[in-house]
Amino acid sequence: MNPPTARTIHPSGAASSPSSSSSGSSTCCSSSSSLGPRPTSSSLSGANLFRIDMHTHIMPSSLPDLTSFTPPGMDYQWPSFQPVPSTQPPEIDMFVGSTFFRRVEPNCYDPAVRISEMDAAGVDVQVLSTVPVLFCYDAPVAPALVLARALNDHLAEVCRSNPERFVGLGTVPLQSVEDAVVELRRVVLELGMKGVQIGTSVGEMMLDDERLGPFWNECEVLGCAVFVHPLGYALPKENASRWGRYWGSWLVGMPCETALAMHAVMSSGLLVRHPRLRICFAHGGGAFPALLGRIQKGFDCRPDLVAGKACGVTPTEHFEGRFGEKQTGEGQIWIDSLMHDPDLLEFVLKKMGPGGASRILLGSDYPFPLGEVPIAGKMLLEDERVRLFMSWEERAGVLAKNAIRFLNLGRSFEERFEMRLRDADAAFSDTSSLPSSLKRGSDGPWEGWGHGNDVVKGIPAGSQGVRIAGSDWGESVLGTSL
């Protein structure tokens, strides 16, 4: 049975079959869509806040033939793509060697289709990263580098053609740290990407492995962000009877992989040795938040096994972002919002401590069916339970502002964020048509759009505006009075 495919959506928000989606042309979007969906006077609501989706995947429509680069006598199972001629627009079957992996729709490779669906869902910007099965960390180095460069060149071209809609994260062949560092420099300095996506492990190397030290050093020097994604597809190879049934490698294996990677990062002193690293873990940090109490207990009761390399910083302090000079929640560990469960989100926020919401980034896993599709941020915007523990300031941060900080996107993105805050503020002045979760006062006294360490003061009605001041943003006046 083929895995479920990604879905196409229309402005109504309804899912449809691939045949009713927009054409498979790779032509860039029209100028009217270049800045993303803009709210209309009849539709303004919290759903019209600026949205940057940190966790999305893209691939080219074809891959280079790597067999000529593979060492003689080595039969490596390279990924390959095969168009499905019976589908319109054409879908693509992904194979690893001769084994079928999954079928994808045009929204996985065609920027025009993606932009159409982003507009329909109200997503302004997607942060693009490759499909993790294309990491090929177990491949010979020379062809793996060819593949990584091809993927990076494709992704960079998509971003160059649509700079207001897409931001890129590169990929590097970490099985050769020396080559990975060279490609990382090219990705950031020549292709203009804001960071890289890596796996939770590299063959037998975990992320705390000393051999990866030069890579982490270069990430600090370049100031680039790191997005860590699990490799669930590899688990059935290790033990098919354990991971091959009931989609277990995806539903249980991936969260466990992420938890193990976070455990290694926090227990090894990696973040203490590299204090300028910014690392975001996919899927809400996987199983790690639920295991934090157990891991902390192990740190305390068996320091000989857990704490020897931790440089005196506990897992709880790392996750809460409070150690050394960092006592304010501005930690190095970030996670995306892909949790599918408001109760889990509330629990994770408690575990992250004061200011923890400033280190959660909107992530949907678009365009895959296990993600928050078709509408990224739907739970934050529409679930009534979320308003009981998250203010609109915090939700606005998760939807976009935190990604601007994490990726260092700069003033142009900050201005777009602020512009949409002005639109949202105007909408809040007339709440007669809004659901109860969006009405002013539903979160308690309105305190402006503050987030994290930014200092925001509500200005009484009739005043000139809302001033946001903070080290991340400088100072700016936003919109009309509250």
Side-chain angles (χ1 to χ4, degrees):
M1 179 182 296
N2 291 345
T5 58
R7 296 179 293 171
T8 299
I9 60 172
H10 297 288
S12 64
S16 71
S17 65
S19 60
S20 63
S21 66
S22 56
S23 72
S25 168
S26 60
T27 305
C28 298
C29 65
S30 65
S31 59
S32 62
S33 297
S34 62
L35 290 177
R38 289 302 312 277
T40 64
S41 59
S42 61
S43 66
L44 273 168
S45 72
N48 296 112
L49 291 168
F50 194 52
R51 266 182 276 179
I52 300 176
D53 189 348
M54 173 69 192
H55 183 173
T56 79
H57 299 292
I58 193 171
M59 66 185 203
S61 59
S62 62
L63 294 175
D65 181 5
L66 299 170
T67 55
S68 62
F69 298 93
T70 306
M74 183 173 188
D75 185 24
Y76 184 77
Q77 302 296 298
W78 290 107
S80 62
F81 300 162
Q82 296 182 17
V84 183
S86 61
T87 59
Q88 277 305 317
E91 298 173 355
I92 291 176
D93 283 343
M94 302 177 67
F95 286 81
V96 177
S98 60
T99 303
F100 175 79
F101 179 67
R102 78 186 317 158
R103 178 172 292 185
V104 300
E105 295 183 10
N107 57 7
C108 198
Y109 66 85
D110 188 332
V113 175
R114 295 177 80 94
I115 289 172
S116 176
E117 296 191 358
M118 289 164 64
D119 287 346
V123 173
D124 298 271
V125 179
Q126 283 186 348
V127 181
L128 306 178
S129 55
T130 195
V131 181
V133 74
L134 302 178
F135 287 156
C136 295
Y137 289 150
D138 58 343
V141 174
L145 178 57
V146 172
L147 176 59
R149 288 177 66 92
L151 294 172
N152 291 333
D153 289 343
H154 164 261
L155 199 152
E157 178 56 34
V158 172
C159 294
R160 275 194 298 267
S161 299
N162 305 275
E164 303 292 340
R165 308 307 302 274
F166 298 130
V167 173
L169 298 179
T171 186
V172 294
L174 280 174
Q175 62 266 57
S176 169
V177 176
E178 181 180 356
D179 289 298
V181 167
V182 172
E183 181 62 8
L184 177 63
R185 291 172 183 154
R186 189 180 80 94
V187 159
V188 175
L189 300 178
E190 296 182 24
L191 301 183
M193 296 192 203
K194 298 299 183 179
V196 288
Q197 176 191 226
I198 66 172
T200 46
S201 60
V202 183
E204 295 181 356
M205 287 194 297
M206 294 299 290
L207 298 185
D208 63 319
D209 195 291
E210 292 181 359
R211 288 171 287 180
L212 292 174
F215 168 74
W216 297 120
N217 285 335
E218 197 64 24
C219 288
E220 282 192 289
V221 169
L222 296 172
C224 67
V226 180
F227 180 52
V228 179
H229 196 289
L231 313 171
Y233 57 84
L235 292 173
K237 298 179 184 178
E238 299 175 8
N239 189 324
S241 62
R242 173 179 295 171
W243 296 112
R245 298 181 297 168
Y246 316 122
W247 215 9
S249 58
W250 253 249
L251 301 182
V252 179
M254 279 189 169
C256 291
E257 283 185 277
T258 301
L260 190 59
M262 295 179 72
H263 177 43
V265 166
M266 296 185 201
S267 298
S268 64
L270 175 67
L271 299 178
V272 179
R273 296 193 303 273
H274 302 279
R276 290 176 292 169
L277 282 180
R278 305 186 310 282
I279 307 177
C280 177
F281 291 88
H283 311 131
F288 183 84
L291 295 173
L292 179 56
R294 181 180 180 85
I295 293 171
Q296 182 63 51
K297 174 63 176 179
F299 186 96
D300 296 335
C301 74
R302 290 301 306 267
D304 56 317
L305 298 178
V306 183
K309 297 182 179 180
C311 302
V313 182
T314 71
T316 299
E317 288 171 331
H318 274 301
F319 200 56
E320 292 184 353
R322 53 174 184 86
F323 66 90
E325 296 180 356
K326 300 181 176 69
Q327 296 291 334
T328 59
E330 289 188 350
Q332 296 165 267
I333 297 291
W334 304 57
I335 61 175
D336 74 16
S337 64
L338 190 57
M339 304 179 207
H340 304 291
D341 182 354
D343 295 332
L344 178 58
L345 175 60
E346 182 179 18
F347 172 80
V348 170
L349 282 169
K350 290 179 179 178
K351 294 287 102 178
M352 296 186 81
S358 65
R359 290 181 284 116
I360 299 179
L361 313 174
L362 175 64
S364 74
D365 212 353
Y366 173 99
F368 298 127
L370 193 53
E372 190 178 32
V373 293
I375 301 176
K378 182 178 176 66
M379 184 177 77
L380 284 167
L381 292 165
E382 299 182 13
D383 196 301
E384 289 283 324
R385 290 169 291 180
V386 174
R387 74 181 179 90
L388 300 178
F389 58 86
M390 285 189 80
S391 69
W392 273 109
E393 300 97 295
E394 291 172 320
R395 280 180 273 182
V398 173
L399 291 170
K401 180 179 177 182
N402 300 347
I404 297 172
R405 293 169 49 234
F406 178 72
L407 296 169
N408 283 332
L409 295 182
R411 189 58 199 164
S412 64
F413 281 86
E414 293 168 8
E415 289 172 349
R416 292 168 68 187
F417 175 80
E418 292 168 358
M419 177 181 68
R420 295 294 282 275
L421 282 184
R422 287 193 291 269
D423 291 338
D425 179 44
F428 273 95
S429 67
D430 178 9
T431 62
S432 58
S433 62
L434 297 181
S436 60
S437 64
L438 301 182
K439 291 181 179 179
R440 185 185 305 188
S442 64
D443 291 317
W446 182 260
E447 296 178 351
W449 290 97
H451 190 70
N453 289 327
D454 291 336
V455 180
V456 183
K457 297 180 179 179
I459 308 297
S463 300
Q464 297 303 308
V466 179
R467 180 170 295 279
I468 293 184
S471 58
D472 292 324
W473 293 81
E475 293 190 355
S476 56
V477 175
L478 304 188
T480 59
S481 60
L482 292 174

